[in-house]
Amino acid sequence: QIPKDHDHVSWHHFIAIGDWGRDGQCCQRDVALEMERAAAVLPASHIVSTGDNFYPSGIKSLHDEQVETSWSSVYMGEEAGGGVAKGGGRGDRDNKNKNIRGKKNSLILPWHFVLGNHDWRGSVESQVNLSLPHWNLPSRYFSRIITDPNATPSPRGAGGYEGGGDDSGSFLGELFFIDTTPLLNKYKKDHRVWRNIRKTTNSYRQLQWLENALRTSKAAWKIVIGHHPLYTYGAHHGENWGPNHAELKRILEENRVSFYLSGHDHNLQCIRPVNETVTHVVTGAGSKVVGLFRAYKDSGLYTTYSKSIHGFAVVSLSDKAAMMRFVSGEDGSVLHTETLLAGNGPNRRLAS
């Protein structure tokens, strides 16, 4: 039920989904079906994962069978959703769980990932080192540029940009993928996570990289993707980031980030803090959903949408506007639209 744009060529579309990797259970396959339908209509250029790619404890090795059961067979097969819901889905939809157009599965696109706290319970190195078609997680944090509406995201090119490609002039957008789990103090009490973090990470170095990458970006629209939300009314409200909460918020605000996309809470939320310019989007409803546990009593936050429902976000970029739509993973309906207008800064908001 995603409405078609009047002019597809002027928009760059991608889908953002989080907290999904449950072997096809907990309605993961049903959500995949609605994603595939939306990706076909838009059409989508790529998929972004906001983390917790594999439950409950990441993957153990490059050959872990969950890469197949939670990702490949659900999203990348001939039929999105794997053909039929194999438990945890709604049985009355099994007959619908097929690619009804008889065309190529529209989710066979580049996928770009961030790591979640559950991924850190396993082998992070294995996820980074996976060499599979369409799997893109080159390091724990990285960026990708979108040169024009029809372009596939690519690494920065010459002139101080990592990787190959051409970075001459300005371009439409840039996506910055970060690893938030090491930024939270709370995981010092989670032995399974912290023993892995201590071996490999430097939080200061990551935030330094992000600030420099944002500052030097030539993108009209800057979007940061991490697993943990900076603001949420879900079960993870008030988690202990220590000083990194204020530091990450400062970096996003000072560098004119348009959207911060996250997961972690298993629902859909869009939050605009008062006197701040970044729009905070929680899209963590790719399989199991959890209720919203906090009353909306914080006068410093303006919540434009929040609901405990299966679904995902569609982000669309043009030279005139950036749009985020929440889409139901149950019936494909558009639940909410948030639009930012270009001009006078990239975060001039249009009423939803």
Side-chain angles (χ1 to χ4, degrees), residues 19-36:
D19 302 84
W20 42 268
R22 297 181 184 274
D23 297 312
Q25 307 296 311
C26 299
C27 297
Q28 183 188 356
R29 295 183 184 277
D30 291 334
V31 178
L33 173 64
E34 298 302 341
M35 285 175 61
E36 198 274 336

Side-chain angles (χ1 to χ4, degrees), residues 312-346:
F312 50 93
V314 170
V315 178
S316 305
L317 305 177
S318 76
D319 60 350
K320 294 181 174 57
M323 179 167 51
M324 187 284 299
R325 288 171 279 187
F326 282 137
V327 179
S328 169
E330 299 176 3
D331 62 11
S333 60
V334 177
L335 302 169
H336 176 74
T337 300
E338 191 83 8
T339 305
L340 307 179
L341 296 180
N344 297 324

Side-chain angles (χ1 to χ4, degrees), residues 163-203:
D166 180 15
D167 70 326
S168 58
S170 61
F171 42 87
L172 181 62
E174 186 162 10
L175 310 180
F176 303 84
F177 299 84
I178 62 173
D179 182 13
T180 55
T181 302
L183 302 180
L184 274 73
N185 282 354
K186 67 165 287 185
Y187 293 111
K188 292 179 179 179
K189 297 181 179 180
D190 187 330
H191 176 67
R192 289 176 296 176
V193 172
W194 198 250
R195 67 183 177 185
N196 292 330
I197 289 175
R198 285 187 306 172
K199 297 176 185 177
T200 59
T201 66
N202 184 315
S203 297

Side-chain angles (χ1 to χ4, degrees), residues 78-262:
E78 292 184 4
E79 299 173 355
V84 295
K86 297 181 179 178
R90 295 175 292 281
D92 61 342
R93 295 190 63 215
D94 286 358
N95 63 330
K96 300 180 183 178
N97 221 8
K98 296 181 179 179
N99 186 323
I100 59 175
R101 289 171 306 284
K103 298 180 181 178
K104 176 183 176 182
N105 175 4
S106 299
L107 296 181
I108 301 179
L109 297 168
W111 282 60
H112 297 85
F113 302 84
V114 298
L115 298 163
N117 54 295
H118 283 271
D119 299 312
W120 268 102
R121 293 180 178 179
S123 172
V124 167
E125 293 81 4
S126 293
Q127 289 201 44
V128 171
N129 292 322
L130 278 173
S131 180
L132 296 171
H134 311 294
W135 179 280
N136 294 278
L137 180 58
S139 60
R140 292 192 305 104
Y141 47 93
F142 60 100
S143 72
R144 289 293 180 266
I145 62 172
I146 301 166
T147 55
D148 60 70
N150 297 311
T152 299
S154 60
R156 288 186 179 188
Y161 281 37
E162 67 234 23
D166 180 15
D167 70 326
S168 58
S170 61
F171 42 87
L172 181 62
E174 186 162 10
L175 310 180
F176 303 84
F177 299 84
I178 62 173
D179 182 13
T180 55
T181 302
L183 302 180
L184 274 73
N185 282 354
K186 67 165 287 185
Y187 293 111
K188 292 179 179 179
K189 297 181 179 180
D190 187 330
H191 176 67
R192 289 176 296 176
V193 172
W194 198 250
R195 67 183 177 185
N196 292 330
I197 289 175
R198 285 187 306 172
K199 297 176 185 177
T200 59
T201 66
N202 184 315
S203 297
Y204 172 76
R205 186 178 301 157
Q206 178 181 188
L207 291 175
Q208 190 177 44
W209 168 86
L210 177 63
E211 185 164 23
N212 182 65
L214 285 168
R215 186 176 62 250
T216 59
S217 176
K218 301 176 182 179
W221 302 102
K222 303 175 188 179
I223 298 174
V224 176
I225 302 101
H227 180 61
H228 294 81
L230 286 169
Y231 298 101
T232 176
Y233 287 110
H236 297 294
H237 174 87
E239 285 189 323
N240 180 14
W241 284 69
N244 287 327
H245 187 279
E247 180 65 2
L248 179 56
K249 186 172 74 169
R250 177 193 67 79
I251 291 171
L252 302 185
E253 286 289 315
E254 289 184 2
N255 290 281
R256 304 169 72 85
V257 168
S258 304
F259 290 112
Y260 175 62
L261 307 181
S262 64

